[in-house]
């Protein structure tokens, strides 16, 4: 008999499973609430179910989960958590508090095979995709921790941790749909941002998805030759096609697209790169986040100087572009942008 992973099911599939066990309709709602609203890890915690149903559930299914096995606290207040899956895979999630909000940065793959040259996760290779249930559980637990530690639920979720979301598209979207629906956490999709290195197939799928999440592109350069050096997958997803796909995304959703741009010293911070970025952005409304690079031991990249960063910012602002300078948090605990790669991995 097949053993089902319950949190990987849709509400409809869960209903069919409970009915198949010979149970009445109101049990579907009860089990669903324990899974998606109360985030339990064991059937024995489902206190309003009869023992006979708990036994049937234990025999036929299990609950996919991610257990917090480590917590690191940065001097700037951000916290990094190591989550261990049932088969021993480690991923990391980060809570980033600021004055008015708490943002969770989540992971969607154990490792990553995109192998961006500047990223610690990229050096690990891919171990496996996280399941819908594991991604949901990671968010559920970060939400709980946010309440316990900072006294408020998460205000934003960014899918910018370990892994490329569009190489695990259905699990990521199904998990986020559960996080943002009434039967789940009821989180506003407008407060969820999915960040991709520019996987065109995923952008096109998201453009047609009924729930409107925010889209961010980790661009880092609009000069093709440098992009192909930094992000090997750009060979198959070139800038001209990416721009067309983003234009189409904007047409379909009406949304402004965020472009993430890490500034590397003498690699992507000169005038040629400023002009190329300004040109690339003409095709759709955008917001540029200029990000300070956080060094990764054994990788040769260096952050741009303050002076070069200011020049880059000013060039774009003078073209009336929307530009923000982002200082990554949590670099002292290797929780900042591009640094996630648990040492035990
Ligand atoms: Fe993978 Fe993102 Fe790192 Fe690139 S930046 S290697 S896509 S985790």
């Amino acid at each position: 008999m097949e053993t089902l992973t319950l949190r990987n099911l849709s509400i409809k599939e869960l209903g069919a499973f409970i009915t198949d066990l010979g149970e009445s309709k109101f049990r579907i709602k009860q089990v669903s609430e324990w899974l998606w609203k109360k985030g339990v890890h064991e059937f024995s915690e489902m206190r309003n179910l009869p023992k006979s149903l708990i036994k049937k559930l234990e025999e036929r299914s299990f609950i996919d989960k991610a257990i917090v096995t480590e917590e690191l606290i940065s001097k700037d207040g951000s916290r990094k958590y190591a989550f261990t899956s049932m088969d021993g895979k480690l991923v990391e999630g980060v809570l980033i508090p600021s004055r008015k909000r708490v943002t969770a940065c989540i992971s969607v793959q154990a490792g990553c095979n995109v192998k961006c040259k500047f990223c610690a996760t990229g050096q690990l290779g891919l171990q496996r995709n996280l399941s819908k249930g594991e991604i949901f559980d990671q968010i559920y637990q970060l939400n709980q921790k946010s309440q316990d530690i900072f006294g408020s639920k998460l205000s934003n979720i960014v899918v910018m941790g370990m892994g490329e979301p569009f190489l695990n598209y259905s699990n990521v979207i199904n998990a986020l749909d559960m996080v943002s629906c009434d039967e789940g956490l009821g989180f506003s999709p407008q407060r969820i941002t999915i960040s991709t290195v520019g996987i065109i197939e995923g952008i096109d799928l998201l453009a047609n998805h009924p729930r409107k999440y925010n889209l961010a592109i980790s661009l880092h350069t609009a000069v093709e030759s440098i992009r192909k050096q930094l992000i090997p997958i750009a060979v198959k997803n070139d800038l001209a096609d990416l721009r067309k796909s983003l234009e189409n995304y904007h047409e379909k959703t009406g949304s402004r697209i965020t472009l993430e741009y890490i500034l590397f010293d003498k690699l992507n911070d000169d005038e040629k790169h400023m002009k190329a970025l300004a040109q690339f952005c003409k095709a759709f409304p955008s917001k540029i986040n200029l990000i300070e690079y956080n060094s990764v031991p054994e990788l040769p990249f260096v952050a741009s100087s303050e002076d070069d960063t200011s020049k880059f910012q000013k060039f774009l602002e003078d073209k009336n572009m929307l530009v923000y300078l982002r200082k990554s948090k949590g670099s002292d605990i290797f929780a900042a942008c591009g640094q996630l790669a648990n040492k035990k991995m």
Side-chain angles (χ1 to χ4, degrees), residues 211-226:
R211 213 158 279 183
K212 297 300 167 214
Y213 301 110
N214 299 309
L215 175 66
I217 306 295
S218 295
L219 190 71
H220 311 314
T221 170
V223 174
E224 191 81 272
S225 56
I226 303 293

Side-chain angles (χ1 to χ4, degrees), residues 111-116 118-123 161-164 197 338:
C112 181
N113 62 358
V114 176
K115 297 190 170 62
C116 299
F118 50 86
C119 169
T121 312
Q123 313 312 305
M162 298 168 76
E164 164 53 57
V197 286

Side-chain angles (χ1 to χ4, degrees), residues 2 35 45 60 97 143 176 200 224 237 263 266 303 340:
E2 192 195 356
L35 289 174
E45 294 172 68
R60 295 273 308 271
N143 196 36
L176 295 179
I200 289 164
E224 191 81 272
N237 296 260
L263 281 162
K266 302 198 173 37
L340 294 185

